[in-house]
Amino acid sequence: MKKTENVNIGGYPFVIEQDAYEKLEAYIKSISSIYTDADTAKELTSDIEERVSELLMEKCGKDTVICIDTINEIIKRIGEPDELAGIDESKEGTDGTVHSSECRTGTPGKTAENPRTPKRLFRDIEHRIIGGVCSGISIYFNIDVVIIRLLILSGLAALSYFVHSPYPMAFYLILWIAIPAAKTVEEKCRMTGKPMDLDDFRTRAEAARPVRDLGNEARTSPILKTTGNVLKIILGVFLIFLGISGLFSGLITLNAPHFISLFTESHFFNYLDPEAQQFLLPLISDRAIWWLTVSVIAIASILELYLGVLLTFNMKAPKWKPGIILIITLMAAVMLLATYLTRSAITLFFLNA
């Protein structure tokens, strides 16, 4: 039998065997001890813990007891402390700090113990414009990303022209789905072909955190965000225009007798048979119906103005949620108008029957 510990690693609870817990604790402490600066060590420890929790969730979830073999596999995957630091020869200075002579940056002059990581094609979501396909290909083949973007764009455009169809442009979407994104630290290293080191750990970890799935990746895509913002402004301006037009219409509609005369003299009204005219005339002459109609138009117009201003100027809704209040008020006004119209229509129907 083995004792287990309930621990929180990177913000997630896990059940871990005691020997595995001691191994993991010693591993994290040995990494943080490389830096004598307290703040740097604390931040690095937090980053390592988050990465360990991600790997634990990926490998066994939160409902499995973590054994020492799992911890050893994760340590091997991330790297031993001395391998991460790439210390060839440690020297203690007069201030008691340990100086590292070489880090695993994959640059010329690296030692045989620090080989380069085999390259793999990933999407580079850190420097993307849409999905990071072109930037990932440029890193893999070591070609300027501008050249890759021009080649892909011109190739897809030419293919679409010759086949007289926009479907070849969907090839980029297929690549976006088929090529995985470099989200984790290991994937970032494999994309560039450089071994993982502590100096690059924070940069790569921070770049990987904001994007976790394809849906969130699409929402955070720079060009899609820009397109979305432009569409929001266009929609906002359109709603403001509708709102202003609706308010003017409501003000004009207050002059009920004028509108009644216009309606009764219109081609549509004269086209109706005498029985329909006799039925509609009392309804459109009812002042209560006119006031309820004006109320519905005014509330809907104010709601359109409110939403248009929020979208156009990228403003946040106040805490007291005026939009919800306007929607509820509009629904109540519409229901009241519909009820009154129905009751009036039924009354007229029986009177004319």
Side-chain angles (χ1 to χ4, degrees), residues 39 43 45 61 71 78 81 89 132 136 170 178-179 201 207 229 239 288 313 341:
D39 292 336
E43 292 175 356
T45 300
I71 297 300
I78 296 178
E89 183 179 355
I179 302 174
F201 191 95
N229 291 334
L239 287 174
F313 300 101
L341 275 172

Side-chain angles (χ1 to χ4, degrees), residues 27-36 40-41 43-49 51 75 78-87 100 102-106 114 185 189 194-206:
Y27 172 71
I28 294 175
K29 284 183 177 179
S30 61
I31 289 178
S32 62
S33 65
I34 294 174
Y35 293 91
T36 57
T40 303
E43 292 175 356
L44 184 61
T45 300
S46 176
D47 291 333
I48 294 292
E49 284 187 5
R51 183 58 191 144
I75 291 174
I78 296 178
E80 293 290 346
D82 55 343
E83 293 175 348
L84 289 172
I87 300 176
S100 172
E102 175 116 21
C103 290
R104 301 181 68 188
T105 57
N114 296 327
V185 181
C189 294
K194 295 180 180 180
M196 183 168 55
D197 59 69
L198 293 180
D199 291 335
D200 290 340
F201 191 95
R202 167 165 294 279
T203 303
R204 290 168 177 165
E206 289 293 340

Side-chain angles (χ1 to χ4, degrees), residues 12-31:
Y12 294 95
F14 294 96
V15 179
I16 184 171
E17 293 179 355
Q18 190 172 22
D19 55 347
Y21 170 76
E22 293 172 355
K23 174 85 173 182
L24 180 60
E25 185 180 33
Y27 172 71
I28 294 175
K29 284 183 177 179
S30 61
I31 289 178

Side-chain angles (χ1 to χ4, degrees), residues 240-250 297 301:
I240 291 174
F241 173 76
L242 284 182
I244 295 173
S245 301
L247 288 177
F248 275 111
S249 300
I297 294 173
S301 300

Side-chain angles (χ1 to χ4, degrees), residues 216-271:
N216 187 39
E217 186 180 323
R219 287 192 296 271
T220 57
S221 176
I223 193 168
L224 295 182
K225 282 180 67 177
T226 302
T227 305
N229 291 334
V230 172
L231 292 177
K232 277 172 59 178
I233 293 173
I234 294 173
L235 178 60
V237 172
F238 179 69
L239 287 174
I240 291 174
F241 173 76
L242 284 182
I244 295 173
S245 301
L247 288 177
F248 275 111
S249 300
L251 290 174
I252 297 172
T253 309
L254 288 175
N255 190 359
H258 175 66
F259 264 88
I260 292 171
S261 63
L262 286 177
F263 182 75
T264 55
E265 294 172 3
S266 65
H267 177 73
F268 170 76
F269 187 79
N270 293 326
Y271 181 78

